[in-house]
Amino acid sequence: MKKLHECKEYFKDVYTDCLAENAFEKSIFESTERARYEMQFEVLEFIYGEDFKKVVNSWQQEALNEFFKK
């Protein structure tokens, strides 16, 4: 099983895909990107629990910074 820090780049990729497609304004039934993000979020939360909850906000902020930098 991967360590939590090894999931960071994939999480950021999925998050920025949602931003690019404006998927956060859609439901999981209207957007594949949103469904992928929600599924990944729930899986990471289930597997890593509190450790994931501690880093998720910083991962999201890093992804936002990179997305809007472009």
Side-chain angles (χ1 to χ4, degrees), residues 1-4 7 10-11 14 34-53 55-56 59:
M1 183 164 72
K2 289 186 175 193
K3 296 191 185 297
L4 181 58
C7 302
Y10 183 72
F11 177 88
V14 172
R34 176 72 186 263
R36 283 179 50 218
Y37 173 78
E38 293 294 333
M39 182 179 68
Q40 182 189 33
F41 189 98
E42 289 180 19
V43 167
L44 290 173
E45 187 174 46
F46 177 77
I47 293 172
Y48 299 105
E50 289 300 317
D51 291 336
F52 176 66
K53 289 178 183 178
V55 298
V56 69
W59 288 6

Side-chain angles (χ1 to χ4, degrees), residues 2-3 17 22 30 61-62:
K2 289 186 175 193
K3 296 191 185 297
D17 286 349
N22 201 23
E30 298 172 315
Q61 189 60 51
E62 286 179 34

